[in-house]
């Protein structure tokens, strides 16, 4: 995986950050609006937002004095594309295994008394 994808998965590993992304999927929000559902301090929510920003998963806007955050859907696509690639890889592997087992039925028989 490349460094960009590593940082995205690291950011997504935290449940608070995933909840923030879920909230931003509904529309942009200020830091104070994002902090409301969590029992954490302003500095703590800011740290989470910085991790998400460094990973490229959210963008910081400018609206008068506030700096609302918004979801960067294109950055999420990179992670979903990678997950889809791995999913296809596994599906293909299982399909090949199924074909092999169908062509070689003796490989699926467990002899009595042996694991």
């Amino acid at each position: 995986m490349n460094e960009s994808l590593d940082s995205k998965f690291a950011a997504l590993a935290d449940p608070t950050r995933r909840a923030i992304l879920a909230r931003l999927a509904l529309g942009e929000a200020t830091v104070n609006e994002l902090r409301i559902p969590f029992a954490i301090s302003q500095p703590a929510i800011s740290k989470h937002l910085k991790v998400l920003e460094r990973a490229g998963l959210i963008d910081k806007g400018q609206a008068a004095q506030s700096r609302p955050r918004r979801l960067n859907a294109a950055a999420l696509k990179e992670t979903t594309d990678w997950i889809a690639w791995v999913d296809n890889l596994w599906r293909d592997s299982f399909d090949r295994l199924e074909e092999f087992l169908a062509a070689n039925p003796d490989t699926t028989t467990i002899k009595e008394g042996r694991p």
Side-chain angles (χ1 to χ4, degrees), residues 64-113:
Q65 296 298 321
S66 69
R67 299 206 184 333
R69 285 2 186 244
R70 69 179 75 80
L71 185 66
N72 181 350
L76 278 175
K77 184 171 177 358
E78 182 183 9
T79 58
T80 58
D81 287 349
W82 186 85
I83 291 169
W85 175 78
V86 171
D87 181 58
N88 287 332
L89 181 72
W90 278 102
R91 286 178 192 272
D92 290 345
S93 295
F94 283 125
D95 289 346
R96 287 192 310 275
L97 177 60
E98 185 176 24
E99 289 170 11
F100 173 81
L101 293 174
N104 300 285
D106 292 339
T107 59
T108 61
T109 306
I110 299 176
K111 295 183 180 179
E112 191 174 319

Side-chain angles (χ1 to χ4, degrees), residues 4 7-8 11-12 16-31 34 44-62 67-79:
S4 172
S7 67
K8 286 174 179 60
L12 292 169
T16 300
R17 291 192 285 267
R18 289 192 306 271
I20 291 169
L21 291 175
R23 166 52 188 87
L24 290 174
L26 302 174
E28 66 179 36
T30 65
V31 175
L34 292 169
I45 197 78
S46 292
K47 285 181 183 180
H48 284 297
L49 294 173
K50 284 179 185 176
V51 170
L52 292 168
E53 287 170 11
R54 279 195 303 267
L57 295 171
I58 65 172
D59 297 318
K60 187 189 307 184
Q62 174 100 24
R67 299 206 184 333
R69 285 2 186 244
R70 69 179 75 80
L71 185 66
N72 181 350
L76 278 175
K77 184 171 177 358
E78 182 183 9
T79 58

